[in-house]
């Protein structure tokens, strides 16, 4: 696997791939601290016939002032070894000054989608995500970009950007990978202490139960209210648990095709996200 840290090297590596007739390139954008979920995206993109590039960049513009930017886990040597093992051909590890050089003045705001749910709790978060992903797509020029289902709202924001800006890239979603007890894999799970880790799978269990009740015809409002109470009783501080349309993310008062449950909750100082289709 080739590891590149400068734009001119990225361009050379990209040109070499194109010259080799390996036209179909997939990008897996990451912030590092890789887990099986990321690696499954690399493997799935390869299985779909792409040459795979992954980016590792802890993007400062998507972190709020009191969030974990400085303590976000960074271990590029370990991440690169894992990527190489998963069959990644190219790792792109830019510096902050490469992504946001002096004079940089363009940020991408996706109206509506960016300000609800996760965007309401983390103002500016999706502005940072949309901007950095557009930059990465512009730099790497992939045919497809792969993202994890767990960050469902992020995927909808990125799809909107790609569509609105006519970016010639297919946005692909890979399924959430879970620990044996159902906890969705996330780089932030390592922040959980032992007691929090033991409680964490409740989030997924509650989503599954809520889905089953809704499918069985239970009323949406009362079912969500009961599920929120179960999470609070289990020690979670809930940011949201909502039934939404999977594309517009508009709240649904009744079950519809394309309905999805989205949840975010804190255990101690760690925020956990989860989502399932209904
Ligand atoms: O999901 C992530 O890890 C990040 O939000 C992303 C897409 C790499 C952009 O920084």
């Amino acid at each position: 696997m080739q590891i590149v840290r400068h734009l001119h090297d990225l361009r050379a590596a990209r040109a070499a791939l194109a010259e080799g007739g390996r036209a179909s390139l997939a990008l897996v954008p990451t912030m590092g601290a890789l887990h099986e979920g990321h690696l499954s995206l690399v493997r799935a993109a390869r299985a779909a016939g792409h040459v795979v590039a992954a980016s590792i960049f802890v993007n400062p513009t998507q972190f709020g002032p009191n969030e974990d930017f400085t303590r976000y886990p960074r271990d590029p040597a370990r991440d690169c070894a894992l990527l190489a093992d998963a069959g990644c051909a190219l790792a792109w590890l830019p510096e902050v000054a490469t992504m946001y050089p002096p004079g940089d003045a363009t940020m991408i705001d996706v109206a509506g989608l960016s300000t609800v749910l996760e965007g309401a709790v983390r103002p500016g978060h999706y502005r940072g995500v949309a901007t950095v992903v557009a930059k990465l797509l512009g730099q790497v020029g992939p045919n497809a970009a792969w993202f994890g289902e767990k960050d469902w709202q992020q995927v909808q924001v990125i799809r909107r950007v790609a569509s609105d800006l006519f970016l010639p890239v297919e946005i692909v979603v890979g399924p959430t990978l879970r620990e044996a007890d159902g906890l969705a894999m996330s780089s932030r799970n390592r922040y959980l202490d032992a007691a929090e880790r033991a409680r964490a799978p409740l989030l997924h269990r509650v989503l599954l139960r809520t889905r089953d009740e809704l499918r069985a015809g239970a009323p949406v409002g009362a079912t969500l209210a009961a599920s929120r109470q179960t999470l609070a009783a289990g020690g979670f501080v809930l940011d949201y648990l909502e039934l939404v349309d999977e594309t517009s993310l508009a709240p649904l008062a009744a079950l519809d095709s394309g309905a999805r449950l989205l949840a975010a909750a804190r255990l101690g100082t760690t925020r956990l996200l989860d989502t399932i289709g209904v």
Side-chain angles (χ1 to χ4, degrees), residues 29-31 57 59 62 129 132-133 147 151 154 158:
T30 82
M31 297 205 301
F57 178 65
N59 173 36
Q62 70 188 76
V129 170
V132 81
V133 170
F147 298 88
D151 297 307
Q154 166 170 282
I158 291 166

Side-chain angles (χ1 to χ4, degrees), residues 111-179:
L113 283 178
S114 275
T115 52
V116 298
L117 301 164
E118 197 63 9
V121 180
R122 303 180 68 190
H125 171 65
Y126 287 120
R127 191 169 198 244
V129 170
T131 302
V132 81
V133 170
K135 285 173 183 270
L136 291 166
L137 294 175
Q139 292 166 335
V140 178
N143 304 90
W146 289 59
F147 298 88
E149 175 191 4
K150 179 177 71 67
D151 297 307
W152 186 264
Q153 185 172 359
Q154 166 170 282
V155 176
Q156 302 321 305
V157 169
I158 291 166
R159 285 213 160 119
R160 198 68 256 166
V161 171
S163 165
D164 290 352
L165 300 183
F166 302 96
L167 302 181
V169 63
E170 183 194 1
I171 305 299
V172 186
V173 188
T176 303
L177 257 66
R178 297 183 181 280
E179 305 293 349

Side-chain angles (χ1 to χ4, degrees), residues 196-209:
E196 291 162 352
R197 177 63 190 82
R199 285 179 180 177
L202 180 66
L203 183 59
H204 184 234
R205 283 207 301 277
V206 167
L207 285 184
L208 291 175
R209 203 187 60 200

Side-chain angles (χ1 to χ4, degrees), residues 222-274:
T223 307
L224 292 179
S227 298
R228 290 180 191 123
Q229 269 179 13
T230 306
L231 285 168
F236 284 85
V237 177
L238 195 65
D239 283 332
Y240 54 84
L241 166 58
E242 298 291 346
L243 182 74
V244 299
D245 174 83
E246 65 183 359
T247 308
S248 70
L249 306 183
L252 295 175
L255 210 52
D256 206 347
S257 66
R260 178 166 277 273
L261 287 163
L262 296 187
R266 272 169 291 141
L267 269 180
T269 56
T270 308
R271 282 187 86 242
L272 302 177
L273 302 190
D274 208 341

